[in-house]
Amino acid sequence: MIRQRPSSSVAARAAVAAILLVLAAGALGAQTFGRVVLTVTDADGQPLPGAKITVTCELLPRFHKELKTNKKGEATVAVVDATKRYQVSVELEGYLPHQESIKPRLGQTSRAQVVLRSVTSQVPPPTEEATLTPAQEVFNEGVAALQQEDLTTAEAKFRQALEMDPHLEAPVRSALGGLHLMAGQPESAIADAQALLALEPQNSRGYRILYEAHKALGDEKEAEKALKALSELDRGGDTVAMVYNEGVESFRVGDMAAAKARFAEALEMQPDFELALKGMLQVLLREESHLEAVAIVERLLALHPDDKNLLGLRHRLYKAAGDETKAQEALAALVEADPTLVVQQALERGVALYNAGDARAASEQFERALAVEPDNAKAHYHLGLCFVNLGDNAKAREHFERFLALAPDDPDAGTARDMLNYLE
């Protein structure tokens, strides 16, 4: 018994849903991942293998990585949270130690170079340095203790510096806010941030501390208020990443409206933010907003013009939207990029549709395969089966005969001969 053929809109939704599942693993799985390739050289630009690299993060006290550079002087620092800034220490016998901070790019691989100076190298005399006050020196001792994760000493030093010089309240409150986040004391961090913002209302770090602290407490309403204020002050990479992550969280709990708003906000800050584009695409696919989705696909193709998955999705979305002209143009671009892929996908979809009882839709897929590859034997064989089911015996015979001419020794050749005898 032949089952009723699903409507074209149902078939289109099924095709788009399949792509959605493929894209979902990539975009959301890479939520905050980042990678930095460090290249360590001497002053002459020669690579230095065997250099010890230690990576820590003030806001992630348990994060600690130790690496060594390879023969090319390279080491790759991979982190799961690229929204944070990381401290890097580089050491090698015979060279002066080097310290700096790095900020990975969300979902991407970036590169950085570290130049080590030989202990015997001639260093030009330093320029006149500003003299630090006793309070500033104590504050810097607190910073050093914080970098060593000695939170007790660091807090004592910061408070001592503030007693010595009340004018240091803003940097002290900023430092204490980060320290209390590290210590798992979000209520204290909130108090520090509020004190900082009372002094400097436009200080973006104050809002960043508020956001992190309220998130730690599970107070989503206050965290959202802090993030909104932060995004108005600072549209840089850290803030964009935080807005994007809020979108991911909303997506995962099924709040598509909130996810869409967050991804849109991230894209307003950074129009070519690839992860936010992919996040927005997933929301639009869930909504079956085909024309909006294909606009996002076009923006992603501007970044990756040869991405075959995107080229295929563009074709399906135009098809689902009923724009046959654009669909044919998109198909032509896909065929040009990878004809074999088009044929393979058409055959797979055709077989699935045929097995589901939709011989008409299946025949369209096999004909699509033949439009690209006219002598594809399997496409002719399956078209023969489709036309038998559709009652068009003349076309069925035509395709079975063509199949046998192309592949007489195929495992399905016996079935094709039996079908020809039956049709006669």
Side-chain angles (χ1 to χ4, degrees), residues 70 119 138-139 149 155 178 181 203-204 237 269 302 305 320 323 331 421:
N70 59 20
V119 293
V138 171
F139 178 85
E149 299 181 19
E155 182 164 7
L181 285 176
N203 191 307
S204 61
M269 296 181 189
D323 190 334
L331 178 59
N421 291 332

Side-chain angles (χ1 to χ4, degrees), residues 361-396:
S363 69
E364 293 173 359
Q365 292 296 322
F366 298 132
E367 287 173 344
R368 177 184 168 202
L370 289 177
V372 178
E373 191 176 310
D375 290 336
N376 187 285
K378 283 297 186 183
H380 283 290
Y381 171 74
H382 289 301
L383 265 175
L385 294 177
C386 287
F387 284 122
V388 169
N389 278 272
L390 294 171
D392 192 335
N393 293 347
K395 285 189 176 180

Side-chain angles (χ1 to χ4, degrees), residues 228-244:
K228 186 176 187 300
L230 177 60
S231 65
E232 291 173 356
L233 287 172
D234 179 8
R235 304 175 76 81
D238 288 358
T239 305
V240 172
M242 293 161 71
V243 172
Y244 165 77

Side-chain angles (χ1 to χ4, degrees), residues 310-330:
L310 290 172
L311 289 168
L313 179 57
R314 179 172 64 176
H315 169 252
R316 288 180 182 78
L317 285 170
Y318 277 127
K319 193 85 172 172
D323 190 334
E324 288 300 325
T325 301
K326 288 289 188 180
Q328 288 304 312
E329 292 174 358

Side-chain angles (χ1 to χ4, degrees), residues 24 63 106 156 213 289 320 398 423:
F63 182 88
L106 195 68
S289 302
E398 175 185 338
L423 293 172

